[in-house]
Amino acid sequence: MDNMYFPAEWEPQRLIQLTWPHAATDWKDYLNDITETFIALAQVITRHEGLLIVTPDVEDTRSKLAMSLTPEEMSQVTFFECPTNDTWARDHAALTLIDREKATTTPLLLDFRFNGWGEKFPAQLDNAITRHLAEGGLFQVPLEDHEDFVLEGGSVESDGKGTVFTTAQCLLAPHRNQPLTIEEIEEQLKLRLRADRIVWLHHGNLVGDDTDGHIDTIVRCAPDDTLLYVCCEDESDEQFADFQMLQEELRMLRTPKGEPYRLLPLPMPDAIYEEGDRLPATYANFVILNGAVIVPTYAQSDNDAKALSIIQQAFPDHVIIGLDARTVIRQHGSLHCLTMQFPKQLTINTHTS
């Protein structure tokens, strides 16, 4: 076994990837609204680190950004032109391994198969994005092909110390990696992500989530063996029983040293509906940057403020920034789902676009 490992998200970053919305995506009916959300994300990200934007139309995207970002912020942006199906970079972008012992060692990018969350949606173009980035000369690091295994970035969460958290309802869902058993999938995760331990959670599936229960919508790792998790305290909520069982699962968990985790409960947002369907609003889908955390908000002053305060407890040295995610959840995701981070060791060619 080599010294590569799956880093925690709060480890130093080189850049964040965004895959830009356009009229041929499901955002077409409210494209202006989601574009404004992406621009707001870009403004925050470029104040803290680099930004890679994958888009089918670089000039159009560049012109939209240039109207809102300062020249200094724009200098942080690298564009790459590529056809896309959708915008969920968390699930179609590469996962990265870095060397545990040598901080300067070249990272390794893992290109897993993305099949539209179990063949629910078209994904052929998005599945090819990482390969295009490598073949187009943007990534200057090795790319390891895992096209034989379906894995979305939002379905795994690393503590940076060898433990990877995931959910059984997602990885065992139809059209992912059948007929593999949970034991066989665990062995594949350990092998491919160089993990020591896989923690499986069995509860906490948000109503309206069409990913089959990604871990990044319900439970997130933070430093010092801390887990932030969505907590439902309203007995009249249809999700109450399931999230109470999630809370009990987390209380029973132990670190590899046999100690309980530090648990920080996040509020459940008040239910948000569109055309009678509940949308999967969650505060757990936050984005960690160098020195900042972007937290989705939902115009719910009390819940929003409570979530920001709790996340500040987990990241006391970070600036906590709320960003309205009401448009994003209309397509059943939130802010973390739109992003993918790459470590500081990543080398890219900024002259490909």
Side-chain angles (χ1 to χ4, degrees):
M1 181 68 72
D2 56 31
N3 292 320
M4 305 302 280
Y5 77 102
F6 187 20
E9 192 168 329
W10 57 85
E11 296 183 45
Q13 298 177 10
R14 167 71 173 84
L15 56 79
I16 293 279
Q17 177 180 329
L18 291 177
T19 303
W20 205 258
H22 53 87
T25 66
D26 289 338
W27 301 107
K28 60 183 180 297
D29 292 336
Y30 31 92
L31 186 57
N32 289 340
D33 290 341
I34 192 61
T35 299
E36 288 303 312
T37 301
F38 269 71
I39 290 171
L41 268 173
Q43 287 177 315
V44 177
I45 292 167
T46 54
R47 292 166 188 168
H48 294 272
E49 59 193 79
L51 172 62
L52 166 63
I53 292 179
V54 176
T55 173
D57 190 337
V58 164
E59 290 311 311
D60 180 69
T61 305
R62 192 196 309 271
S63 66
K64 286 183 170 65
L65 275 177
M67 289 189 288
S68 299
L69 272 63
T70 67
E72 183 178 2
E73 291 164 352
M74 285 295 293
S75 71
Q76 290 278 72
V77 184
T78 298
F79 295 90
F80 189 88
E81 191 156 293
C82 181
T84 63
N85 296 111
D86 212 329
T87 54
W88 306 104
R90 179 61 45 179
D91 297 334
H92 62 243
L95 297 178
T96 312
L97 304 182
I98 58 177
D99 193 291
R100 189 177 299 280
E101 296 183 0
K102 299 177 182 178
T104 58
T105 299
T106 300
L108 177 64
L109 301 183
L110 309 182
D111 188 16
F112 290 95
R113 179 153 58 96
F114 173 62
N115 71 347
W117 309 282
E119 301 175 358
K120 296 185 182 74
F121 304 99
Q124 184 176 0
L125 297 176
D126 289 348
N127 185 48
I129 289 173
T130 295
R131 186 173 69 252
H132 287 315
L133 288 166
E135 293 174 351
L138 185 129
F139 289 144
Q140 303 288 293
V141 297
L143 180 65
E144 193 171 87
D145 185 356
H146 290 266
E147 182 66 18
D148 62 326
F149 193 78
V150 175
L151 188 70
E152 300 118 28
S155 70
V156 286
E157 180 80 3
S158 175
D159 68 353
K161 298 188 292 185
T163 296
V164 172
F165 295 80
T166 191
T167 63
Q169 59 262 40
C170 177
L171 268 63
L172 297 178
H175 307 294
R176 295 302 211 284
N177 290 299
Q178 284 77 14
L180 296 184
T181 65
I182 189 169
E183 292 81 11
E184 290 169 332
I185 291 173
E186 177 164 326
E187 286 307 306
Q188 289 298 319
L189 291 175
K190 286 181 177 179
L191 177 67
R192 296 169 191 257
L193 298 177
R194 282 63 159 183
D196 301 322
R197 185 174 74 135
I198 308 298
V199 172
W200 294 87
L201 298 175
H202 299 81
H203 299 283
N205 195 358
L206 286 173
V207 174
D209 172 20
D210 53 19
T211 68
D212 300 308
H214 274 183
I215 188 75
D216 72 343
T217 65
I218 59 168
V219 177
R220 300 292 304 282
C221 295
D224 303 317
D225 292 327
T226 298
L227 297 176
L228 296 118
Y229 69 98
V230 176
C231 180
C232 184
E233 298 179 327
D234 180 2
E235 295 184 16
S236 67
D237 192 308
E238 60 191 308
Q239 304 176 118
F240 176 75
D242 191 30
F243 276 85
Q244 288 293 302
M245 288 187 281
L246 171 66
Q247 181 171 251
E248 188 58 28
E249 273 193 292
L250 296 174
R251 287 173 173 169
M252 297 295 291
L253 278 184
R254 293 296 180 268
T255 71
K257 294 181 178 179
E259 300 172 351
Y261 283 90
R262 176 194 182 205
L263 300 179
L264 295 179
L266 294 166
M268 174 76 73
D270 297 336
I272 302 173
Y273 294 90
E274 183 168 89
E275 297 180 355
D277 295 326
R278 186 167 181 173
L279 302 178
T282 170
Y283 293 109
N285 209 245
F286 53 82
V287 182
I288 306 170
L289 307 175
N290 293 331
V293 181
I294 309 174
V295 180
T297 58
Y298 303 100
Q300 300 177 12
S301 57
D302 290 346
N303 285 331
D304 291 350
K306 184 176 180 181
L308 293 170
S309 175
I310 292 168
I311 292 171
Q312 182 75 81
Q313 293 176 41
F315 298 94
D317 298 326
H318 286 61
V319 178
I320 309 301
I321 302 165
L323 198 153
D324 192 327
R326 286 176 293 170
T327 299
V328 187
I329 61 170
R330 295 178 71 179
Q331 284 300 321
H332 308 280
S334 200
L335 302 182
H336 190 252
C337 303
L338 295 174
T339 67
M340 176 57 79
Q341 77 282 349
F342 291 89
K344 70 174 183 178
Q345 296 90 338
L346 181 75
T347 302
I348 65 168
N349 178 7
T350 59
H351 302 294
T352 58
S353 60

